[in-house]
Amino acid sequence: MIILRGEERLSTEEVMNLVGKINGLIYARVSTTDQAKKGYSLESQIDKCTERAKSKFNINEDELIVLVEAGGMGDDPNRPALNYALHLLEKGLGKKFIVLHPDRLTRDNTLQGVISRKIWNLGVDIDFIEFEVDPNNPESMLMYNIQGSIAQYNKAKILANSKRGRIQKAKKGEISSFNRLYGYTFNKETDQLELNLDERDILLEMIHMLLVEKMSCTQIAKALSKRGIPAPSGKVWYQTTVARMLKNEAYLGTYYYGKSRVVQSNGKKKQVPVENREEWIPIKIPRIFDEVIHEKILLRIEELIKGAKGRSSRDYLLKGKARCGRCGGAAGSGITSKTKTGTYKYYSCRNKNVRGFTVETGEKYVNCKGKNWRVDIVDEVVWKWLKKRIEDPSNFLKEILDEMSDNKKINDLKQKQQQLQKEIKEKENEELNYVLLFGKAKINEEMFDTLVNPIKEQLSYLNQEFKIINNQIASVENNIDEFEEMKNNLSKYQTVIQNDALEMNKKREVLDLFVEKVILHEDDGVEIVWRWQDNDEDGHKKQDRVQAYGR
């Protein structure tokens, strides 16, 4: 029996050799990484599914592949083990797909239908040990859909109850979930923060360095690293880490729960800050310093910032536009070099210049290594590129128009629009069916709410998606009018850029109309990303590549 966990994959040769030899796939999932570490749930699923394969289908262990999803959320369509299982089925490995229960496959009713249909369309049977389903039986499919709705509803209830529980604990002064705060240790038994005396002493020493010894945050980071004092996260003390720690108002004796929340963005979860302080829940913790010291810290750091700024350089074209081709970080002007022929300025990656020091050695830590790029050469190449584009705008305008009014794009959006309309209609009919069942007293009020609430949530989501698609279609169609306006104004830009004495800020204004970003590469290649062009099939904007010829 082959067991693949998470991102583990077979080679192409191995897959080809297994065709005709593998008769079943087993999919096992646990919902959190904590469950995954315990392992009992996964092992139980694998054992039961293996026994099912043997007893019901006469499939031996050497004819099975087990795909294990440790910590995969049931409503996530991008689970690595599940996606690879579907890939193997498409390659002809297995005619039986064995899962303990439908909620192990997914806890989203819509996703359940999509995955199930995909597997059945491949000619593969789905066998749930704890739930019988027959894709050719309408009653069986109705119960399957009901089960999916209940699983989704239960998940939503669990999340809502968990969130409510965390909030209630916070209001009682207890911390249910905690990101590390230097100077404190989290007591799991009391759900309280307790002083870490060693770290508290380090923090107080940092304050003394800042206020009494008049050291900068960079100097403090270097001193701590040389002494081998562990950094809060990792083996590097950063200047920004020191500044952030010293400014943290939690050390005044109040920890705030709810300063951020998790949201969905492009199908992924991410944390965003909660701007309204009234939504934060204050929790009292041991104080390390008082308001007077905190105010002095803020004033001292502000002095350091003002003293380090100096005069900002304005004589470079790609302000806010340049990106490092090595790591993708922002690149700015500021590095200079004096030679016999003069003083030259360079674009340099911000990650290359970050002020961090390795613990124990105190040596400077560099996130991004490599060359810098001569400002005068890069600016000249980019400006010449733009002048050439605008001086002969016929092809340039045609490419922009093709991008802005792409018929394929409009057709794709309208197909999505039609698909959403179909899904909305199906959900509305599904809701109506439950209304009829309730009216005929086939289901009680509690069951009705359990079945209909998830559908209402899905309808709300689908209607929102439908609105977004409509706005996108309108935006694409309106681009034609924007294009005509741009075409009429282009003659003005043609006149402007012919002025060799054009001030740098005016050049940047013109550049901003046409260019989104400029990527600088190690081989002196320069990739210019147009502002108007939309993402290609790989999710990248189309680029023009030119050569800067030298540093």
Side-chain angles (χ1 to χ4, degrees):
M1 183 165 59
I2 299 172
I3 299 180
L4 303 174
R5 301 178 184 275
E7 301 280 356
E8 291 181 354
R9 299 290 182 265
L10 299 172
S11 67
T12 303
E13 184 179 355
E14 287 173 326
V15 171
M16 296 301 295
N17 289 335
L18 289 172
V19 174
K21 299 176 183 178
I22 297 298
N23 291 316
L25 299 188
I26 292 173
Y27 178 74
R29 178 183 71 84
V30 289
S31 58
T32 66
T33 52
D34 287 336
Q35 284 177 297
K37 290 175 184 176
K38 294 175 183 176
Y40 64 87
S41 181
L42 285 173
E43 295 305 319
S44 174
Q45 290 180 59
I46 294 171
D47 289 344
K48 289 180 179 179
C49 291
T50 303
E51 181 58 34
R52 178 69 156 230
K54 292 177 181 178
S55 61
K56 185 175 180 179
F57 304 115
N58 295 318
I59 299 176
N60 298 322
E61 288 192 17
D62 59 358
E63 299 174 299
L64 290 170
I65 294 179
V66 179
L67 296 110
V68 178
E69 202 86 70
M73 300 303 292
D75 57 355
D76 183 3
N78 293 315
R79 283 168 271 157
L82 177 61
N83 287 340
Y84 192 57
L86 298 176
H87 170 75
L88 293 178
L89 292 175
E90 289 173 349
K91 296 298 182 183
L93 271 65
K95 290 299 179 183
K96 304 293 179 184
F97 189 71
I98 305 170
V99 188
L100 180 68
H101 190 276
D103 66 9
R104 297 300 85 204
L105 182 63
T106 178
R107 279 185 176 270
D108 180 274
N109 193 35
T110 303
L111 186 60
Q112 174 181 283
V114 171
I115 295 173
S116 300
R117 285 193 296 272
K118 185 170 185 178
I119 295 173
W120 285 324
N121 288 339
L122 291 170
V124 177
D125 295 328
I126 304 176
D127 184 70
F128 296 110
I129 295 175
E130 297 179 353
F131 190 93
E132 293 292 335
V133 59
D134 180 358
N136 299 314
N137 186 312
E139 287 75 17
S140 177
M141 289 302 296
L142 174 62
M143 294 306 298
Y144 185 44
N145 290 331
I146 290 174
Q147 189 282 328
S149 297
I150 292 173
Q152 183 170 331
Y153 177 72
N154 286 339
K155 178 179 174 61
K157 289 289 288 183
I158 291 170
L159 292 175
N161 290 339
S162 298
K163 182 179 180 180
R164 186 162 51 249
R166 290 193 296 270
I167 291 173
Q168 290 302 320
K169 289 186 72 172
K171 288 181 177 179
K172 291 191 299 182
E174 299 174 356
I175 300 174
S176 56
S177 58
F178 172 69
N179 292 326
R180 171 162 163 68
L181 179 60
Y182 193 85
Y184 298 89
T185 301
F186 181 59
N187 187 324
K188 294 182 180 179
E189 294 183 1
T190 63
D191 289 335
Q192 301 283 345
L193 289 184
E194 299 175 349
L195 281 175
N196 180 318
L197 298 181
D198 291 337
E199 291 185 353
R200 181 204 61 180
D201 292 344
I202 294 297
L203 187 61
L204 292 175
E205 186 178 357
M206 290 166 63
I207 295 172
H208 186 269
M209 291 177 179
L210 181 78
L211 299 181
V212 179
E213 299 181 31
K214 299 299 181 180
M215 294 173 65
S216 67
C217 293
T218 301
Q219 291 170 331
I220 294 171
K222 189 172 183 178
L224 294 174
S225 66
K226 277 188 174 181
R227 287 166 50 186
I229 295 173
S233 57
K235 298 182 178 180
V236 180
W237 274 101
Y238 292 100
Q239 173 264 339
T240 52
T241 302
V242 172
R244 185 171 60 251
M245 287 170 59
L246 292 172
K247 292 190 294 183
N248 194 336
E249 62 181 348
Y251 296 126
L252 297 174
T254 303
Y255 174 84
Y256 288 96
Y257 176 82
K259 292 177 68 174
S260 64
R261 63 165 60 97
V262 176
V263 299
Q264 290 279 354
S265 177
N266 296 323
K268 295 184 178 180
K269 294 179 180 179
K270 69 174 184 178
Q271 258 190 340
V272 297
V274 175
E275 301 293 343
N276 185 4
R277 288 181 66 102
E278 294 181 0
E279 296 182 36
W280 303 357
I281 300 174
I283 300 174
K284 291 299 178 183
I285 62 175
R287 173 182 286 209
I288 291 182
F289 52 78
D290 60 25
E291 287 80 3
V292 175
I293 296 297
H294 186 241
E295 187 63 29
K296 289 181 178 180
I297 290 171
L298 296 180
L299 289 173
R300 173 60 180 156
I301 291 177
E302 183 64 27
E303 289 176 3
L304 291 170
I305 293 172
K306 288 180 179 179
K309 275 185 176 179
R311 179 177 293 179
S312 60
S313 176
R314 298 179 180 274
D315 56 344
Y316 64 102
L317 181 65
L318 304 183
K319 185 177 181 180
K321 300 285 186 187
R323 294 290 183 272
C324 172
R326 293 183 298 267
C327 69
S333 172
I335 303 297
T336 59
S337 174
K338 292 184 178 180
T339 68
K340 292 181 180 180
T341 56
T343 300
Y344 297 102
K345 292 186 177 182
Y346 292 84
Y347 287 112
S348 182
C349 178
R350 301 299 188 197
N351 289 331
K352 180 180 177 181
N353 301 316
V354 66
R355 283 165 285 183
F357 303 91
T358 304
V359 172
E360 293 184 353
T361 66
E363 295 179 355
K364 186 176 180 181
Y365 179 79
V366 180
N367 284 341
C368 180
K369 299 179 181 179
K371 63 182 293 183
N372 299 323
W373 300 272
R374 276 256 303 264
V375 167
D376 57 329
I377 295 176
V378 172
D379 284 1
E380 182 182 8
V381 167
V382 174
W383 187 246
K384 282 184 176 179
W385 170 88
L386 183 61
K387 287 181 68 173
K388 185 177 180 181
R389 285 287 187 177
I390 297 178
E391 285 171 358
D392 183 17
S394 55
N395 291 332
F396 178 49
L397 290 174
K398 183 179 182 303
E399 290 177 33
I400 293 175
L401 179 59
D402 289 343
E403 287 294 325
M404 296 172 75
S405 60
D406 187 354
N407 289 328
K408 183 179 183 299
K409 183 196 307 177
I410 295 176
N411 290 336
D412 289 344
L413 287 172
K414 288 187 175 179
Q415 284 180 6
K416 291 181 182 178
Q417 182 189 53
Q418 292 171 1
Q419 179 62 31
L420 283 170
Q421 285 178 314
K422 181 180 177 182
E423 291 182 25
I424 289 170
K425 186 66 177 176
E426 288 175 353
K427 288 298 172 187
E428 289 174 342
N429 289 337
E430 189 177 345
E431 181 181 14
L432 179 60
N433 287 336
Y434 291 132
V435 171
L436 294 174
L437 289 173
F438 178 70
K440 294 178 180 179
K442 299 291 186 182
I443 56 176
N444 60 28
E445 185 174 353
E446 182 180 358
M447 179 61 75
F448 176 79
D449 289 339
T450 300
L451 296 172
V452 171
N453 286 342
I455 297 174
K456 289 183 179 295
E457 292 179 5
Q458 291 170 22
L459 275 171
S460 175
Y461 171 78
L462 290 171
N463 282 316
Q464 182 64 25
E465 286 290 300
F466 187 70
K467 181 179 179 182
I468 292 171
I469 290 292
N470 286 340
N471 290 339
Q472 288 176 333
I473 291 173
S475 175
V476 172
E477 292 175 340
N478 288 337
N479 276 340
I480 305 299
D481 295 333
E482 294 179 13
F483 169 79
E484 290 299 326
E485 183 179 355
M486 181 187 67
K487 185 178 178 181
N488 294 332
N489 290 333
L490 192 60
S491 58
K492 178 182 71 174
Y493 300 125
Q494 286 177 295
T495 303
V496 168
I497 65 170
Q498 298 307 318
N499 182 3
D500 292 331
L502 195 64
E503 295 180 359
M504 185 59 71
N505 64 325
K506 293 296 183 182
K507 285 186 176 183
R508 284 199 291 261
E509 287 179 16
V510 177
L511 183 77
D512 189 55
L513 293 169
F514 298 92
V515 174
E516 179 175 302
K517 62 183 176 181
V518 177
I519 304 170
L520 308 177
H521 291 282
E522 284 288 290
D523 63 353
D524 293 311
V526 178
E527 285 186 281
I528 303 171
V529 183
W530 301 11
R531 176 173 292 281
W532 286 296
Q533 289 187 312
D534 290 319
N535 294 348
D536 59 21
E537 293 179 357
D538 296 323
H540 302 290
K541 291 204 172 186
K542 292 184 180 178
Q543 306 167 346
D544 272 9
R545 187 178 177 93
V546 292
Q547 196 70 23
Y549 299 112
R551 291 174 182 259

Short mmCIF file of all heavy atoms in Angstrom, two decimals, residues 187-215:
data_model
loop_
_atom_site.label_atom_id
_atom_site.label_comp_id
_atom_site.label_asym_id
_atom_site.label_seq_id
_atom_site.Cartn_x
_atom_site.Cartn_y
_atom_site.Cartn_z
N ASN A 187 0.38 31.10 30.06
CA ASN A 187 0.03 30.00 30.95
C ASN A 187 -1.21 29.31 30.41
O ASN A 187 -2.31 29.87 30.45
CB ASN A 187 -0.23 30.53 32.37
CG ASN A 187 -0.41 29.40 33.38
OD1 ASN A 187 -0.99 28.35 33.07
ND2 ASN A 187 0.08 29.63 34.59
N LYS A 188 -1.04 28.10 29.88
CA LYS A 188 -2.16 27.38 29.25
C LYS A 188 -3.23 26.96 30.25
O LYS A 188 -4.38 26.77 29.88
CB LYS A 188 -1.63 26.15 28.51
CG LYS A 188 -0.74 26.48 27.32
CD LYS A 188 -0.30 25.22 26.59
CE LYS A 188 0.58 25.56 25.39
NZ LYS A 188 1.04 24.33 24.68
N GLU A 189 -2.85 26.81 31.51
CA GLU A 189 -3.82 26.38 32.51
C GLU A 189 -4.77 27.51 32.91
O GLU A 189 -5.96 27.29 33.14
CB GLU A 189 -3.09 25.85 33.74
CG GLU A 189 -2.31 24.57 33.47
CD GLU A 189 -1.64 24.03 34.73
OE1 GLU A 189 -1.82 24.66 35.80
OE2 GLU A 189 -0.95 23.00 34.63
N THR A 190 -4.24 28.72 33.00
CA THR A 190 -5.07 29.86 33.42
C THR A 190 -5.49 30.76 32.26
O THR A 190 -6.31 31.66 32.44
CB THR A 190 -4.30 30.73 34.43
OG1 THR A 190 -3.12 31.26 33.79
CG2 THR A 190 -3.88 29.90 35.64
N ASP A 191 -4.93 30.51 31.05
CA ASP A 191 -5.17 31.37 29.88
C ASP A 191 -4.79 32.82 30.17
O ASP A 191 -5.46 33.76 29.75
CB ASP A 191 -6.63 31.29 29.44
CG ASP A 191 -6.98 29.95 28.81
OD1 ASP A 191 -6.06 29.31 28.30
OD2 ASP A 191 -8.15 29.56 28.84
N GLN A 192 -3.70 32.99 30.90
CA GLN A 192 -3.22 34.32 31.26
C GLN A 192 -1.79 34.51 30.79
O GLN A 192 -1.05 33.54 30.61
CB GLN A 192 -3.29 34.51 32.79
CG GLN A 192 -4.66 34.35 33.40
CD GLN A 192 -5.54 35.55 33.18
OE1 GLN A 192 -5.07 36.63 32.81
NE2 GLN A 192 -6.84 35.39 33.40
N LEU A 193 -1.41 35.78 30.61
CA LEU A 193 -0.01 36.11 30.32
C LEU A 193 0.72 36.37 31.63
O LEU A 193 0.25 37.14 32.47
CB LEU A 193 0.08 37.34 29.42
CG LEU A 193 -0.36 37.18 27.96
CD1 LEU A 193 -0.10 38.47 27.19
CD2 LEU A 193 0.35 36.03 27.29
N GLU A 194 1.88 35.74 31.77
CA GLU A 194 2.71 35.94 32.96
C GLU A 194 4.05 36.51 32.52
O GLU A 194 4.53 36.24 31.42
CB GLU A 194 2.91 34.62 33.70
CG GLU A 194 1.61 34.01 34.19
CD GLU A 194 1.82 32.64 34.81
OE1 GLU A 194 2.95 32.09 34.68
OE2 GLU A 194 0.87 32.09 35.41
N LEU A 195 4.66 37.30 33.39
CA LEU A 195 5.95 37.90 33.05
C LEU A 195 7.02 36.84 32.86
O LEU A 195 7.13 35.90 33.66
CB LEU A 195 6.39 38.86 34.15
CG LEU A 195 5.75 40.26 34.16
CD1 LEU A 195 6.23 41.03 35.37
CD2 LEU A 195 6.08 41.02 32.89
N ASN A 196 7.78 36.99 31.78
CA ASN A 196 9.01 36.22 31.58
C ASN A 196 10.13 37.14 32.07
O ASN A 196 10.50 38.10 31.39
CB ASN A 196 9.17 35.87 30.10
CG ASN A 196 10.42 35.06 29.82
OD1 ASN A 196 11.48 35.34 30.36
ND2 ASN A 196 10.29 34.07 28.96
N LEU A 197 10.64 36.87 33.25
CA LEU A 197 11.56 37.81 33.91
C LEU A 197 12.83 38.06 33.12
O LEU A 197 13.33 39.19 33.08
CB LEU A 197 11.89 37.31 35.32
CG LEU A 197 10.68 37.19 36.27
CD1 LEU A 197 11.13 36.70 37.64
CD2 LEU A 197 9.95 38.52 36.39
N ASP A 198 13.36 37.02 32.48
CA ASP A 198 14.58 37.19 31.68
C ASP A 198 14.32 38.14 30.51
O ASP A 198 15.12 39.06 30.26
CB ASP A 198 15.07 35.84 31.17
CG ASP A 198 15.61 34.95 32.27
OD1 ASP A 198 16.01 35.50 33.32
OD2 ASP A 198 15.61 33.72 32.10
N GLU A 199 13.22 37.92 29.80
CA GLU A 199 12.90 38.78 28.66
C GLU A 199 12.51 40.18 29.12
O GLU A 199 12.81 41.17 28.43
CB GLU A 199 11.79 38.14 27.83
CG GLU A 199 12.23 36.88 27.10
CD GLU A 199 11.16 36.31 26.19
OE1 GLU A 199 10.01 36.81 26.20
OE2 GLU A 199 11.47 35.36 25.46
N ARG A 200 11.83 40.28 30.25
CA ARG A 200 11.49 41.61 30.78
C ARG A 200 12.76 42.41 31.04
O ARG A 200 12.83 43.61 30.71
CB ARG A 200 10.68 41.47 32.06
CG ARG A 200 10.27 42.81 32.67
CD ARG A 200 10.01 42.71 34.15
NE ARG A 200 11.21 42.27 34.88
CZ ARG A 200 11.24 42.11 36.20
NH1 ARG A 200 10.16 42.32 36.92
NH2 ARG A 200 12.37 41.71 36.80
N ASP A 201 13.75 41.77 31.64
CA ASP A 201 15.01 42.47 31.94
C ASP A 201 15.70 42.93 30.66
O ASP A 201 16.28 44.03 30.61
CB ASP A 201 15.94 41.56 32.75
CG ASP A 201 15.41 41.29 34.16
OD1 ASP A 201 14.51 42.04 34.59
OD2 ASP A 201 15.88 40.34 34.80
N ILE A 202 15.65 42.10 29.61
CA ILE A 202 16.24 42.49 28.32
C ILE A 202 15.50 43.70 27.76
O ILE A 202 16.11 44.65 27.25
CB ILE A 202 16.19 41.32 27.32
CG1 ILE A 202 17.09 40.16 27.78
CG2 ILE A 202 16.58 41.78 25.91
CD1 ILE A 202 18.56 40.52 27.84
N LEU A 203 14.19 43.68 27.85
CA LEU A 203 13.39 44.79 27.34
C LEU A 203 13.70 46.08 28.10
O LEU A 203 13.85 47.16 27.48
CB LEU A 203 11.90 44.45 27.47
CG LEU A 203 10.91 45.42 26.82
CD1 LEU A 203 11.13 45.51 25.33
CD2 LEU A 203 9.48 44.98 27.11
N LEU A 204 13.83 46.01 29.43
CA LEU A 204 14.17 47.20 30.22
C LEU A 204 15.58 47.69 29.87
O LEU A 204 15.83 48.91 29.84
CB LEU A 204 14.07 46.87 31.71
CG LEU A 204 12.65 46.59 32.24
CD1 LEU A 204 12.70 46.16 33.69
CD2 LEU A 204 11.77 47.83 32.07
N GLU A 205 16.48 46.76 29.58
CA GLU A 205 17.83 47.16 29.17
C GLU A 205 17.80 47.86 27.82
O GLU A 205 18.55 48.83 27.59
CB GLU A 205 18.73 45.93 29.12
CG GLU A 205 20.19 46.28 28.84
CD GLU A 205 21.10 45.06 28.82
OE1 GLU A 205 20.62 43.94 29.08
OE2 GLU A 205 22.29 45.23 28.52
N MET A 206 16.95 47.40 26.92
CA MET A 206 16.80 48.05 25.62
C MET A 206 16.31 49.49 25.79
O MET A 206 16.77 50.40 25.08
CB MET A 206 15.82 47.25 24.75
CG MET A 206 16.36 45.90 24.29
SD MET A 206 15.06 44.81 23.62
CE MET A 206 14.51 45.75 22.21
N ILE A 207 15.39 49.70 26.73
CA ILE A 207 14.90 51.04 26.99
C ILE A 207 16.03 51.92 27.52
O ILE A 207 16.17 53.09 27.14
CB ILE A 207 13.73 50.99 28.00
CG1 ILE A 207 12.54 50.25 27.39
CG2 ILE A 207 13.32 52.39 28.44
CD1 ILE A 207 11.41 49.98 28.35
N HIS A 208 16.86 51.37 28.41
CA HIS A 208 18.02 52.12 28.95
C HIS A 208 18.99 52.48 27.82
O HIS A 208 19.50 53.60 27.77
CB HIS A 208 18.72 51.26 30.01
CG HIS A 208 19.84 51.98 30.71
ND1 HIS A 208 21.14 51.95 30.27
CD2 HIS A 208 19.83 52.78 31.82
CE1 HIS A 208 21.89 52.68 31.06
NE2 HIS A 208 21.12 53.20 32.02
N MET A 209 19.23 51.53 26.91
CA MET A 209 20.11 51.81 25.77
C MET A 209 19.57 52.97 24.93
O MET A 209 20.32 53.83 24.48
CB MET A 209 20.23 50.57 24.88
CG MET A 209 20.99 49.41 25.49
SD MET A 209 20.97 47.99 24.33
CE MET A 209 21.94 46.79 25.24
N LEU A 210 18.26 52.97 24.74
CA LEU A 210 17.63 53.98 23.88
C LEU A 210 17.61 55.34 24.54
O LEU A 210 17.99 56.35 23.93
CB LEU A 210 16.21 53.53 23.54
CG LEU A 210 15.41 54.47 22.63
CD1 LEU A 210 15.86 54.30 21.18
CD2 LEU A 210 13.91 54.22 22.75
N LEU A 211 17.16 55.40 25.81
CA LEU A 211 16.92 56.69 26.45
C LEU A 211 18.13 57.25 27.17
O LEU A 211 18.33 58.47 27.21
CB LEU A 211 15.75 56.56 27.43
CG LEU A 211 14.40 56.14 26.83
CD1 LEU A 211 13.33 56.07 27.92
CD2 LEU A 211 13.96 57.08 25.73
N VAL A 212 18.94 56.38 27.79
CA VAL A 212 20.07 56.86 28.59
C VAL A 212 21.36 56.85 27.79
O VAL A 212 22.10 57.85 27.75
CB VAL A 212 20.22 56.00 29.87
CG1 VAL A 212 21.42 56.49 30.70
CG2 VAL A 212 18.95 56.06 30.71
N GLU A 213 21.66 55.71 27.13
CA GLU A 213 22.90 55.62 26.37
C GLU A 213 22.77 56.24 24.98
O GLU A 213 23.75 56.33 24.24
CB GLU A 213 23.31 54.15 26.24
CG GLU A 213 23.58 53.48 27.59
CD GLU A 213 24.02 52.03 27.44
OE1 GLU A 213 24.66 51.70 26.40
OE2 GLU A 213 23.70 51.21 28.32
N LYS A 214 21.55 56.64 24.63
CA LYS A 214 21.28 57.33 23.35
C LYS A 214 21.68 56.49 22.14
O LYS A 214 22.16 57.01 21.12
CB LYS A 214 22.00 58.69 23.30
CG LYS A 214 21.57 59.65 24.39
CD LYS A 214 20.09 59.98 24.30
CE LYS A 214 19.66 60.96 25.37
NZ LYS A 214 18.20 61.28 25.30
N MET A 215 21.50 55.19 22.24
CA MET A 215 21.79 54.31 21.11
C MET A 215 20.60 54.30 20.15
O MET A 215 19.44 54.48 20.56
CB MET A 215 22.06 52.88 21.61
CG MET A 215 23.32 52.76 22.44
SD MET A 215 23.52 51.11 23.20
CE MET A 215 23.74 50.08 21.76
#
